[in-house]
């Protein structure tokens, strides 16, 4: 397939009923895969058609053989009557040797017995096996249709007031007996074939516990169709309901994501505002501590340090202290880890231990200049 030219590739696709667009370097591999898939589908359709023709020929052959068996007694009776009416010649009459009438009678009886209809209940030849298999498939087909319709009715409003989609065994057996006239033995044979077959026939056999696998016919409690058959109206309503539900779910998800995005943006903006307020608070604290130290140098203050809570009460009004608590805590933490000019100490003030800040004045000269 890789050796096909663009023109040959186009002709092959058109021959299989597909109209390709422009074949370029970007679409060539796509059309090659499409051609490979179409060829596989055509081959499967051809095999299916051959199997269907073989099946029809087999059924035609079976009907022809059955017709011949039914007509054989009618043809055998005139032949036997003509043999009895024919004058028998003696061996010395004309020099021709003929068999006795008894011999012809035996031949006619054996031919008639071979052409009579055969009861295949106890036969194992190929003809009887084919007839038994055809009867079994017909029974399974009727059972499949019954279960599919019942399951479809259950899912489409349940007009028959069924308890579940799983139809009891006795109810299914009675239905088939009324429709096809088959005995319970054939019904059990059909269930046995379903259990022993590895094919998916679209019928589930369930026991008392639906989660357990049924292995014998006597444990089967009910039958359920794997492919419910629903009417056009029911399918359209279910498809419409599914489409509307999916659309609503999509818009709900979209609204949720949009709300989440708005919440995140609001959260980010609050964090930025809080961080900016923290830096402003740090700047104010530095100014207060530094001014206090300058006042101390000018003998305007008694101590060179100032209490942390005193600074807080000076900068934040009482009505805003609860709202600004997080900003204040972050500012204190930032000063402790990033500001070397302010030292945190503990001193006894007015008889009570208190954390204070002291402004550390940098030296005028570095170690290299000394």
């Amino acid at each position: 397939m890789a050796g096909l030219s663009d023109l040959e590739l186009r002709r092959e696709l058109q021959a299989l009923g597909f109209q390709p667009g422009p074949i370029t370097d970007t679409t060539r591999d796509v059309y090659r895969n499409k051609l490979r898939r179409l060829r596989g589908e055509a081959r499967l359709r051809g095999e299916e058609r051959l199997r269907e023709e073989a099946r029809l020929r087999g059924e035609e052959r079976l009907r022809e053989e059955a017709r011949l068996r039914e007509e054989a007694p009618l043809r055998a009776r005139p032949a036997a009557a003509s043999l009895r009416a024919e004058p028998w010649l003696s061996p010395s009459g004309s020099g021709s040797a003929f068999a006795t009438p008894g011999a012809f009678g035996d031949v006619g009886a054996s031919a008639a017995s071979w052409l009579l209809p055969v009861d295949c209940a106890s036969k194992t030849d190929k003809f009887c096996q084919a007839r038994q298999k055809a009867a079994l498939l017909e029974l399974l087909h009727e059972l499949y249709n019954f279960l599919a319709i019942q399951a479809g009715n259950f899912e489409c409003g349940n007009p028959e007031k069924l308890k579940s989609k799983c139809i009891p065994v006795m109810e299914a057996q009675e239905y088939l007996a009324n429709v096809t006239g088959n005995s319970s033995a054939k019904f059990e044979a059909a269930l046995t074939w379903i259990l022993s077959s590895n094919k998916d026939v679209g019928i589930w056999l369930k026991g008392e516990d639906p989660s357990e696998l049924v292995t014998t016919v006597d444990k089967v409690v009910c039958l359920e169709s794997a492919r419910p058959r629903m009417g056009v109206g029911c399918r359209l309503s279910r498809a419409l309901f599914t489409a509307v539900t999916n659309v609503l779910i999509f818009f709900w998800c979209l609204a949720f994501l949009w709300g989440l995005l708005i919440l995140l943006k609001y959260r980010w903006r609050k964090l930025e505002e809080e961080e900016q307020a923290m830096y402003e608070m740090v700047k104010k604290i530095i100014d207060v501590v530094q001014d206090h130290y300058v006042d101390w140098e000018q003998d305007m203050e008694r101590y060179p340090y100032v209490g942390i809570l005193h600074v807080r009460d000076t900068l934040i009004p009482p009505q805003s202290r609860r709202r600004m608590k997080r900003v204040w805590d972050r500012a204190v933490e930032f000063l402790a880890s990033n500001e070397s000019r302010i030292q945190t100490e503990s001193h006894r003030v007015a008889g009570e231990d208190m954390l204070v800040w002291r402004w550390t004045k940098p030296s005028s000269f570095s170690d290299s200049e000394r």
Side-chain angles (χ1 to χ4, degrees), residues 343-354:
Q343 291 184 354
T344 303
E345 301 175 353
S346 177
H347 287 275
R348 180 172 291 274
V349 179
E352 183 178 355
D353 291 335
M354 181 181 297

Side-chain angles (χ1 to χ4, degrees), residues 305-345:
Y305 48 81
V306 60
I308 294 178
L309 296 180
H310 179 71
V311 176
R312 182 199 66 184
D313 297 342
T314 303
L315 296 177
I316 304 175
Q319 66 272 16
S320 302
R321 287 172 189 171
R322 178 176 294 181
R323 180 174 57 85
M324 297 292 292
K325 183 179 185 304
R326 180 177 174 83
V327 176
W328 172 258
D329 292 340
R330 291 188 61 186
V332 172
E333 183 180 355
F334 180 84
L335 288 172
S337 58
N338 296 283
E339 182 56 62
S340 62
R341 295 173 297 177
I342 296 179
Q343 291 184 354
T344 303
E345 301 175 353

Side-chain angles (χ1 to χ4, degrees), residues 1 4 8-14 16 18 29-41:
M1 188 176 295
L4 294 177
E8 293 174 344
L9 181 59
R10 179 180 295 276
R11 289 177 178 175
E12 289 283 347
L13 290 171
Q14 290 175 349
L16 292 173
F18 180 77
D29 292 337
V30 177
Y31 286 132
R32 285 174 179 172
N33 293 333
K34 183 67 175 180
L35 177 59
R36 187 179 297 108
R37 187 163 56 254
L38 290 175
R39 284 180 175 177
E41 293 176 357

